[in-house]
Amino acid sequence: MQKIVDETLMPVNLKGTVFAPGLAIGHIIFHEPRVEILKFKSKNSSKELQRLKKALTDLRKDIDKMLRSSDLSGASDYKDVLEAYKMLSLDEGWVRKLNKAVLQGLTAEAAVESVQASMNEKFNKFDDIYLSERLYDLKDLSNRLERHLTGTALSSSLKELPKDTILLARNLGPTELLNYPKSKLKGLILEEGSRSSHTTIVARALNIPLMGRTKSLNEMSVKQNEIVIIDGEKGEIFIRPTEDIQNIYSIKMKMSQALKIEYKSIKDKKGITLDGKRIELNMNAGLIMELNQLEESGADGIGLFRTELQFLISETLPRMDEQKDFYRSVLDAAKGKKVIFRTLDIGGDKILPYMTAPKEENPALGWRAIRVALDRPGLLRLQLRALIHASENSELNVMFPMIAEFDELMQAKELLSKEISRMKKFNKLLPKKISVGSMLEIPSLIWQFDILLPEVDFISVGSNDLMQFLFAADRGNSALSDRYSILKPSALKFLKQAVNKCNEYRVPIHICGDISGKFSYVLALLGLGFRSFSLTPADIGPIKKIVRSLHLEDLEKFMNSQLKTDLLTIEDNLLLYAEQNNIILENILDA
Ligand code: PEP
Ligand code: MG
């Protein structure tokens, strides 16, 4: 007799994209579905206008309440997100459209729905990540307004949420996320979602693992309260996991806790190798809320501060004073540790809503970063002015992204000099010291090092873009992500050449791209001569442990020998070297 298997009880293993890393085990809770509108037409427009007005007032009060919430204390970035929401809720254009729809005979809630529908249509015409994210913000706001109008609470059962809730939704706005009690929310799964959305920013800040772009969860016949595991290291989700998988993950979570404790124990120690060589381990950041990681991770400083993030989460171009205050607060939070500010890397896929930019065939190769800055010098000058002001009496470290040619660096430096002269003219205080760096992200630059290096105080390799351009491989395309790496001879030789030239000119060279998670890359880079890294904060601990367990001179000898081989990749040899020398490279979570 044929055995009938109930597929709705079978374990399911799904792939997704990791937007916020981490492990979580918990119970599935569906995010509240959209509000259902029952009445569309109204004969009493003035009553509906009153209702709309009251709901808008309540909505703004709601946001104010969230802004005051204790969960947000000290985390000014999601305050920024909420401020942006508040601005959106006050947007005259939006309110005018809502009023107009009511005056045309719709109920207030139907007016909200209808305005949102026409916005969807308008925005969806653009194939633009940033705009679609802002559209999602607006949907979130509309949904919230509809709830006020229909009297539907966000979730009638918020109080009854399990203490290990893993929230599941097609998509979710940041304010919706913030409505859930942080203490109970252990993870988030979105069928959609995106890396740079406000929801992602908030999830990272709250330390909640977030996986997105999963297959439709309806197809998986997922049910409320079922057990789910998020592996936000490998990008996997286990629904109805078998007991074995549950046991494995409970152990992994315990081990990861134990490791965190171990990393904490060395956080105040320096990155010094067994043969006494000092390795700088800095962290990457771009949001104020990430700065508490400086203390927690034990990073030496911030090797890459991505200034464009402030611009991206703002609804309007940040004024000079706002920029200055922001940079000042970064420096204050860094408490004297070094911060390297990278000037705006906008354009490409980072389009500012308030900036008109041409539609491009190949945005990553297009009008972005220093190219925009030199074509629109007003923007860069304003930013440099804000940076100089913010660093008065302290040290200013600034670097320019996507430099392809010597002349671009010189033009950028010229703008910096103009701003310094302007400060002097107005008798303003200047930074005690200004260091200028160039990023090495475009291979062409290396053949200009002889003239460029005497003009800079440091070079910072942006390995994400450098690898993308060296191998002509889109960094965002997961089909290519395992194809090329730093461990390929062409990349190694390129980087070695860069290190040699910098050493010849006595210019420090750092690396700040996303080499995190791949600890073998760090080992190879150390062996090539890199002494300063900027990493994801979570990797500072594990990499410091590796640094403190190796003999650098020996590693350099090994790497020199590898540069002479004709292997397609040195990965196997490197792993063997690590094993033979008791260097534990494996991230326990990958096991
Ligand atoms: C890089 O390209 O490696 C880099 C650090 O810059 P971003 O990732 O911001 O492009
Ligand atoms: Mg880059």
Side-chain angles (χ1 to χ4, degrees):
M1 203 173 69
Q2 197 188 349
K3 206 170 155 194
I4 299 172
V5 178
D6 184 350
E7 291 201 354
T8 64
L9 298 175
M10 299 283 281
V12 177
N13 182 359
L14 284 182
K15 291 266 180 236
T17 309
V18 179
F19 294 135
L23 293 179
I25 304 184
H27 288 88
I28 291 176
I29 295 295
F30 289 102
H31 175 59
E32 197 81 16
R34 283 185 61 75
V35 178
E36 209 182 327
I37 295 172
L38 301 171
K39 197 168 165 237
F40 283 85
K41 292 262 162 62
S42 149
K43 292 206 176 85
N44 190 344
S45 296
S46 56
K47 186 178 148 222
E48 291 303 311
L49 283 178
Q50 284 297 326
R51 285 182 64 226
L52 181 62
K53 196 170 167 198
K54 178 166 184 320
L56 278 165
T57 311
D58 291 345
L59 171 77
R60 290 166 195 148
K61 278 190 194 152
D62 236 28
I63 301 176
D64 283 339
K65 206 167 128 200
M66 279 194 267
L67 272 163
R68 287 192 305 269
S69 136
S70 57
D71 264 4
L72 297 184
S73 55
S76 63
D77 296 298
Y78 41 158
K79 279 193 181 145
D80 286 349
V81 172
L82 285 175
E83 295 285 6
Y85 258 55
K86 176 113 185 266
M87 295 271 291
L88 210 57
S89 76
L90 290 167
D91 186 272
E92 280 176 22
W94 186 52
V95 176
R96 207 178 316 115
K97 282 193 193 99
L98 294 174
N99 284 335
K100 196 171 153 201
V102 168
L103 289 171
Q104 284 168 345
L106 293 180
T107 58
E109 50 271 45
V112 178
E113 188 73 18
S114 138
V115 169
Q116 187 56 47
S118 71
M119 296 294 243
N120 291 354
E121 202 184 335
K122 199 164 129 198
F123 276 65
N124 281 337
K125 284 198 192 113
F126 302 102
D127 181 20
D128 180 295
I129 300 173
Y130 189 80
L131 283 184
S132 65
E133 275 156 17
R134 296 298 76 79
L135 177 67
Y136 199 77
D137 288 353
L138 200 59
K139 271 191 203 160
D140 183 13
L141 209 63
S142 295
N143 208 13
R144 185 170 279 274
L145 186 56
E146 285 173 14
R147 284 177 199 286
H148 278 287
L149 285 161
T150 55
T152 338
L154 181 70
S155 171
S156 47
S157 55
L158 272 187
K159 286 191 199 82
E160 289 127 50
L161 282 177
K163 61 179 189 321
D164 55 355
T165 295
I166 304 238
L167 198 63
L168 216 106
R170 197 159 74 81
N171 215 337
L172 188 78
T175 68
E176 290 178 301
L177 174 57
L178 286 168
N179 259 316
Y180 284 89
K182 192 183 156 211
S183 57
K184 292 185 171 177
L185 200 57
K186 300 293 173 233
L188 181 59
I189 303 175
L190 301 178
E191 287 177 17
E192 298 172 5
S194 103
R195 198 175 297 285
S196 47
S197 72
H198 282 157
T199 306
T200 301
I201 293 173
V202 172
R204 282 209 205 112
L206 295 177
N207 249 330
I208 297 171
L210 163 58
M211 295 262 301
R213 306 236 178 96
T214 62
K215 220 166 137 182
S216 161
L217 294 151
N218 273 343
E219 281 174 36
M220 305 290 126
S221 50
V222 178
K223 292 188 219 62
Q224 183 99 337
N225 263 316
E226 279 185 318
I227 296 201
V228 63
I229 294 176
I230 298 181
D231 184 339
E233 309 294 331
K234 286 184 173 174
E236 282 186 286
I237 299 169
F238 300 86
I239 295 162
R240 299 182 285 272
T242 58
E243 229 168 88
D244 285 352
I245 295 277
Q246 285 186 48
N247 287 340
I248 291 172
Y249 273 89
S250 313
I251 294 171
K252 276 192 179 204
M253 288 188 61
K254 279 192 194 121
M255 283 164 95
S256 116
Q257 266 324 100
L259 273 176
K260 276 189 194 143
I261 293 169
E262 190 186 342
Y263 300 145
K264 233 183 178 160
S265 73
I266 55 167
K267 97 177 163 58
D268 296 325
K269 298 210 161 96
K270 302 260 177 264
I272 298 179
T273 63
L274 291 177
D275 48 339
K277 303 282 167 22
R278 173 80 164 99
I279 308 297
E280 246 185 61
L281 299 174
N282 298 300
M283 63 172 239
N284 296 339
L287 298 167
I288 289 275
M289 66 178 137
E290 290 169 293
L291 295 178
N292 60 352
Q293 299 282 342
L294 199 50
E295 175 68 28
E296 268 168 44
S297 67
D300 289 309
I302 298 179
L304 165 66
F305 194 88
R306 292 181 163 105
T307 59
E308 62 275 8
L309 295 190
Q310 183 205 13
F311 285 67
L312 281 168
I313 61 173
S314 177
E315 290 298 315
T316 50
L317 181 79
R319 294 188 319 269
M320 202 283 287
D321 273 349
E322 285 172 286
Q323 292 185 46
K324 181 194 80 184
D325 292 347
F326 179 68
Y327 302 141
R328 185 73 254 169
S329 50
V330 174
L331 290 168
D332 286 346
K335 295 189 191 128
K337 287 187 174 180
K338 184 157 117 185
V339 181
I340 301 182
F341 290 99
R342 175 179 72 187
T343 61
L344 283 181
D345 185 356
I346 49 169
D349 61 342
K350 298 183 213 161
I351 301 295
L352 305 181
Y354 37 85
M355 186 183 103
T356 45
K359 180 121 189 65
E360 299 184 82
E361 283 282 320
N362 296 300
L365 302 174
W367 194 58
R368 54 176 285 206
I370 198 70
R371 301 166 183 183
V372 176
L374 296 178
D375 290 351
R376 299 266 190 284
L379 199 60
L380 180 58
R381 281 193 68 167
L382 207 65
Q383 185 178 33
L384 292 171
R385 195 174 305 166
L387 283 167
I388 297 171
H389 265 306
S391 323
E392 60 183 28
N393 262 339
S394 61
E395 210 177 280
L396 170 62
N397 300 287
V398 60
M399 66 182 178
F400 300 106
M402 293 285 290
I403 300 282
E405 293 200 306
F406 169 68
D407 186 52
E408 289 169 344
L409 175 86
M410 296 314 284
Q411 285 184 53
K413 277 185 68 171
E414 176 63 28
L415 295 177
L416 180 63
S417 300
K418 279 191 178 151
E419 284 308 315
I420 296 171
S421 311
R422 187 177 178 278
M423 294 285 169
K424 285 184 183 153
K425 194 168 128 198
F426 291 108
N427 283 329
K428 301 271 185 209
L429 282 175
L430 285 173
K432 276 191 208 138
K433 186 179 164 205
I434 301 182
S435 298
V436 178
S438 166
M439 289 191 73
L440 171 59
E441 298 182 282
I442 303 181
S444 60
L445 196 65
I446 201 172
W447 293 285
Q448 305 218 320
F449 263 18
D450 284 319
I451 46 175
L452 182 113
L453 292 178
E455 296 290 340
V456 292
D457 298 297
F458 62 93
I459 290 287
S460 189
V461 176
S463 57
N464 299 330
D465 277 317
L466 182 64
M467 290 298 120
Q468 154 161 282
F469 300 132
L470 199 60
F471 290 110
D474 181 348
R475 65 191 256 189
N477 187 337
S478 52
L480 302 175
S481 55
D482 289 333
R483 206 178 180 103
Y484 309 101
S485 85
I486 278 178
L487 304 183
K488 295 272 180 184
S490 37
L492 293 171
K493 284 178 184 158
F494 184 92
L495 291 167
K496 182 72 190 169
Q497 199 179 328
V499 169
N500 286 348
K501 269 282 168 214
C502 286
N503 287 347
E504 187 185 323
Y505 284 87
R506 295 179 181 278
V507 172
I509 181 165
H510 319 154
I511 189 150
C512 67
D514 199 356
I515 37 169
S516 299
K518 288 278 190 188
F519 300 155
S520 55
Y521 293 1
V522 178
L523 198 62
L525 292 163
L526 281 164
L528 288 181
F530 282 91
R531 299 288 174 264
S532 172
F533 295 78
S534 195
L535 309 150
T536 300
D539 281 344
I540 303 276
I543 289 175
K544 194 184 281 182
K545 192 172 166 226
I546 292 170
V547 163
R548 294 175 62 86
S549 70
L550 61 86
H551 195 283
L552 193 60
E553 217 173 288
D554 193 61
L555 175 62
E556 280 182 321
K557 274 190 205 134
F558 165 76
M559 278 305 290
N560 281 337
S561 72
Q562 295 304 296
L563 286 170
K564 293 186 191 118
T565 63
D566 54 2
L567 295 166
L568 290 178
T569 166
I570 63 155
E571 184 153 21
D572 289 345
N573 283 355
L574 192 63
L575 295 182
L576 189 66
Y577 174 86
E579 198 185 318
Q580 285 169 347
N581 289 280
N582 297 323
I583 303 167
I584 299 171
L585 281 188
E586 198 179 7
N587 185 344
I588 202 86
L589 301 177
D590 291 338

